[in-house]
């Protein structure tokens, strides 16, 4: 389809394992965002890419979280040595222009991560 | 600092009733954008509207309308003649000029009963 695609849809991992979450933005979209949404809460910003450049990673909760977008399209969010508090829905969004200021962001369905 | 408050955690109404979702925001910037998103059970956030800080005109789109009042830092959302398909979680969000992120409220879960 033409929307933002995220995979896997669901991921269950044991505490201490590494996980990788994938995001395919809308073709041609310059900006890509990752958000974390805890149960019953609003999404919280993690990181932002403009093409392949990671311009803002201020929302990453710890150095166990790492994101990349090497060719300016697909992005991967990696979480190392997962902990139970990492359990959440991880949302990816893309927008046509630069930044979040005046652009509507288009969201994927999210990856629901459960850490046992 | 940016902050968005949606004081109504859950709202439940009967179909065809009108319902208003409240949103209050805080920002030190004079230039910013406000957004509303809908999150149905499938999980995808669906963009509804964007409004910049210099445009206080109310907007109507079908059964949806938005009331932006800078004097009270509010951006409220009204659904007229609600339908069961309107059931979802609704989020209000803020983005300051030059910012790279949206700041979301905690959301309001709206249930429309037949």
């Amino acid at each position: 389809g033409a929307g933002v695609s995220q995979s896997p849809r669901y991921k269950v991992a044991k505490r201490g394992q590494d996980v990788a979450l994938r995001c395919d933005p809308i073709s041609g979209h310059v900006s890509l965002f990752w958000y974390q949404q805890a149960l019953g809460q609003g999404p919280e910003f993690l990181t932002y890419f403009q093409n392949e450049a990671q311009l803002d990673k201020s929302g990453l909760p710890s150095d166990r979280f790492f994101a990349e977008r090497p060719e300016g399209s697909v992005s991967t969010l990696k979480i190392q040595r997962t902990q139970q508090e990492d359990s959440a829905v991880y949302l990816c969004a893309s927008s046509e222009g630069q930044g979040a200021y005046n652009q509507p962001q288009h969201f994927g369905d999210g990856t629901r991560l459960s850490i046992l | 600092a940016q902050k968005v408050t949606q004081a109504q955690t859950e709202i439940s109404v009967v179909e065809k009733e009108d319902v208003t979702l409240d949103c209050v925001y805080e920002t030190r910037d004079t230039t910013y954008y406000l957004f509303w998103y809908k999150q149905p059970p499938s999980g995808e956030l669906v963009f509804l509207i964007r409004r910049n800080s210099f445009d206080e005109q109310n907007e109507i789109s079908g059964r949806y309308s938005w009331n932006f009042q800078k004097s009270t830092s509010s951006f409220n959302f009204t659904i007229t003649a609600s339908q069961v398909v309107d059931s979802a979680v609704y989020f209000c969000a803020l983005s300051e000029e030059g910012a790279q992120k949206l700041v979301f409220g905690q959301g309001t879960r709206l249930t429309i009963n037949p």
Side-chain angles (χ1 to χ4, degrees):
Chain A
V4 177
S5 177
Q6 292 188 246
S7 60
R9 189 78 171 90
Y10 302 93
K11 176 69 178 178
V12 179
K14 293 182 179 179
R15 189 177 54 165
Q17 288 183 333
D18 298 347
V19 297
L21 312 180
R22 177 187 169 102
C23 173
D24 263 293
I26 294 173
S27 177
H29 276 196
V30 169
S31 295
L32 186 144
F33 308 82
W34 284 99
Y35 292 84
Q36 180 189 61
Q37 186 176 20
L39 188 64
Q41 303 294 317
E44 293 194 358
F45 172 80
L46 294 176
T47 187
Y48 161 68
F49 290 87
Q50 183 179 311
N51 295 307
E52 69 278 5
Q54 188 175 21
L55 298 186
D56 188 344
K57 54 182 180 179
S58 62
L60 296 177
S62 76
D63 59 7
R64 297 186 296 103
F65 286 71
F66 172 77
E68 61 183 2
R69 192 186 186 198
E71 297 179 357
S73 55
V74 171
S75 177
T76 304
L77 176 66
K78 299 178 180 178
I79 308 174
Q80 298 177 325
R81 304 181 304 281
T82 53
Q83 300 178 5
Q84 285 192 324
E85 60 261 32
D86 299 334
S87 296
V89 175
Y90 290 84
L91 294 167
C92 177
S94 69
S95 66
E96 189 173 358
Q98 300 174 7
Y101 167 53
N102 62 354
Q103 305 277 335
Q105 294 181 24
H106 303 273
F107 285 80
D109 289 341
T111 293
R112 183 176 297 276
L113 176 64
S114 298
I115 305 300
L116 305 179
Chain B
Q2 311 172 61
K3 185 178 180 182
V4 176
T5 301
Q6 296 179 254
Q8 305 150 306
T9 304
E10 294 190 32
I11 299 176
S12 181
V13 300
V14 177
E15 198 171 20
K16 298 184 183 178
E17 286 186 16
D18 298 347
V19 59
T20 295
L21 310 182
D22 297 334
C23 172
V24 174
Y25 62 92
E26 296 177 29
T27 177
R28 294 177 183 167
D29 274 21
T30 57
T31 306
Y32 51 88
Y33 269 85
L34 296 164
F35 301 79
W36 275 94
Y37 281 86
K38 174 182 180 180
Q39 189 174 43
S42 61
E44 179 182 355
L45 281 159
V46 178
F47 167 75
L48 296 178
I49 190 172
R50 172 187 62 185
R51 171 69 69 208
N52 77 54
S53 53
F54 297 106
D55 183 1
E56 288 194 72
Q57 280 191 334
N58 291 333
E59 181 155 342
I60 298 175
S61 176
R63 298 183 296 108
Y64 295 172
S65 62
W66 291 269
N67 184 309
F68 175 30
Q69 293 195 342
K70 288 179 74 171
S71 61
T72 56
S73 297
S74 65
F75 186 43
N76 297 337
F77 172 31
T78 297
I79 301 174
T80 303
S82 60
Q83 299 177 2
V84 172
V85 292
D86 295 327
S87 297
V89 181
Y90 290 86
F91 291 97
C92 180
L94 165 71
S95 181
E96 294 176 338
E97 185 179 21
Q100 309 304 336
K101 63 182 181 181
L102 288 173
V103 174
F104 287 86
Q106 290 196 312
T108 297
R109 179 175 299 278
L110 177 63
T111 302
I112 310 298
N113 299 297

